[in-house]
Amino acid sequence: MDSLAAVPGTGPATSPLPVVRKVRAPRKFSDLPTDRGVVMAILNVTPDSFSDGGKFVSPDKAIAQGLKLFYGGADIIDVGGESTRPGAESITPEEEQARILPVIEALAKAGALISVDTMHVDTASKAIDAGAGIINDVSGMTFSPEMPALIAERKVPYVLMHRRGDARNVDPAAKYDDVVAEVVAELAELRDKFVAAGVAEDQIILDPGLGFSKNAEHNWALLRGLPEFTKLGHKVLVGASRKRFLGTLLSSAGKVAAPAERDHATLAISALAVANGAWGVRVHDSGASLDAVKVAAAWAG
Ligand code: PMM
């Protein structure tokens, strides 16, 4: 930890938010390491995400957790205000912004590189104004028609994740003959739409969208097929952290392992994903995955 002054709880007692006194220029995308996989730490400022919902819903708790992740070495902090788990309630962009903008501002002020997990153009735009450096959009094939123009204009890196239909109603869309070929083709088609709108190819990061309109079998096939994604010529991000297919894998006596029991499996995926060409991993336990990507890099030599 390099700045105790920035640690929550060290500000005046009356301060409503953790005080970030040591203001630094925010880290840029170009500062990210290139000699190992990149670790994006998840910060869900939501009451209802499947694994950490409700833990960091107040701005002060979210900022404290974000600073902990940042000082713990996470390369990127992915701030999200809307849960995408099946059955979750959708919220308005205004509610989403009220949850996340103060958190983005404080973490960017502390020098963290922030990505924003949003499907809303207005939230993406305001988040960039607040200091976010990456937009992480899980809308997949249902993306907002204005999103490509915003990304082209603001020139920020953009995570283009695959998903069919509404993430909150996943199962009906989970029918594939060849999941790897179909997801690769659908992502390439989406990518072309963003490029046609003026987004630079190197701004685009692709994500197969594990668990989004995919069952466990699909997720494993997509992980096995990672080299097919990297062939598209973009950075590839993998988000497997604590997802249900890991709970199923680790089932014991017929009981699916709880989200908190899925971190060891997640770090194994982090090592294997970057060893198989992924640029980065999106995870809850960023410390463990940092070690995992360092091992993978040392192994690769
Ligand atoms: N998964 C979730 C949310 N956002 N973003 C990307 N790029 N990739 C993912 O796989 C992804 C995501 C759902 O998980 P969470 O509720 O733990 O955040």
Side-chain angles (χ1 to χ4, degrees):
M1 189 169 293
D2 50 359
S3 169
L4 273 180
V7 177
T10 57
T14 52
S15 173
L17 295 178
V19 174
V20 177
R21 289 206 195 88
K22 186 170 173 183
V23 178
R24 298 194 230 162
R27 207 168 163 193
K28 295 194 292 296
F29 192 80
S30 55
D31 297 332
L32 288 173
T34 52
D35 57 350
R36 62 164 172 81
V38 162
V39 175
M40 176 188 272
I42 300 169
L43 180 57
N44 284 323
V45 192
T46 59
D48 53 353
S49 288
F50 77 93
S51 134
D52 51 359
K55 275 174 88 177
F56 311 117
V57 80
S58 70
D60 56 345
K61 286 203 177 115
I63 294 167
Q65 173 67 3
L67 290 172
K68 194 170 144 199
L69 295 167
F70 174 48
Y71 293 129
D75 299 307
I76 302 167
I77 314 292
D78 188 47
V79 181
E82 180 174 22
S83 171
T84 47
R85 75 173 166 76
E89 297 265 310
S90 58
I91 56 166
T92 64
E94 290 73 26
E95 284 173 274
E96 183 187 35
Q97 289 159 25
R99 284 181 190 170
I100 64 173
L101 292 180
V103 179
I104 295 167
E105 256 170 41
L107 297 180
K109 207 166 143 189
L113 177 59
I114 309 294
S115 63
V116 179
D117 194 334
T118 185
M119 298 183 275
H120 300 292
V121 176
D122 189 52
T123 302
S125 177
K126 292 197 169 109
I128 297 167
D129 293 340
I134 303 170
I135 298 301
N136 174 26
D137 180 1
V138 301
S139 62
M141 296 169 81
T142 64
F143 70 87
S144 156
E146 295 107 55
M147 192 63 95
L150 176 86
I151 302 301
E153 187 200 325
R154 305 300 296 268
K155 297 190 181 1
V156 289
Y158 177 72
V159 180
L160 183 60
M161 195 199 79
H162 179 272
R163 140 184 155 194
R164 286 179 182 173
D166 185 343
R168 296 180 190 87
N169 182 20
V170 163
D171 288 333
K175 292 192 181 72
Y176 302 86
D177 290 323
D178 179 340
V179 67
V180 175
E182 288 171 50
V183 173
V184 166
E186 287 167 12
L187 267 183
E189 202 178 303
L190 285 173
R191 182 265 324 263
D192 291 347
K193 289 188 177 147
F194 278 77
V195 171
V199 176
E201 298 217 9
D202 66 1
Q203 258 176 278
I204 299 174
I205 299 156
L206 300 179
D207 184 329
L210 300 180
F212 287 84
S213 57
K214 286 117 194 156
N215 60 29
E217 208 180 300
H218 298 139
N219 292 338
W220 290 115
L222 290 166
L223 287 168
R224 228 173 280 130
L226 266 186
E228 298 305 313
F229 289 88
T230 54
K231 276 186 201 158
L232 291 174
H234 297 268
K235 295 178 170 69
V236 173
L237 179 69
V238 169
S241 190
R242 295 185 187 167
K243 285 190 177 165
R244 187 175 172 86
F245 74 114
L246 299 179
T248 310
L249 176 79
L250 304 175
S251 291
S252 166
K255 204 169 155 258
V256 173
E261 294 163 359
R262 303 173 190 167
D263 280 336
H264 296 170
T266 301
L267 83 86
I269 292 201
S270 293
L272 290 165
V274 300
N276 283 281
W279 161 78
V281 290
R282 178 183 178 277
V283 294
H284 297 87
D285 184 353
S286 50
S289 279
L290 259 174
D291 290 353
V293 299
K294 286 177 185 168
V295 167
W299 188 302

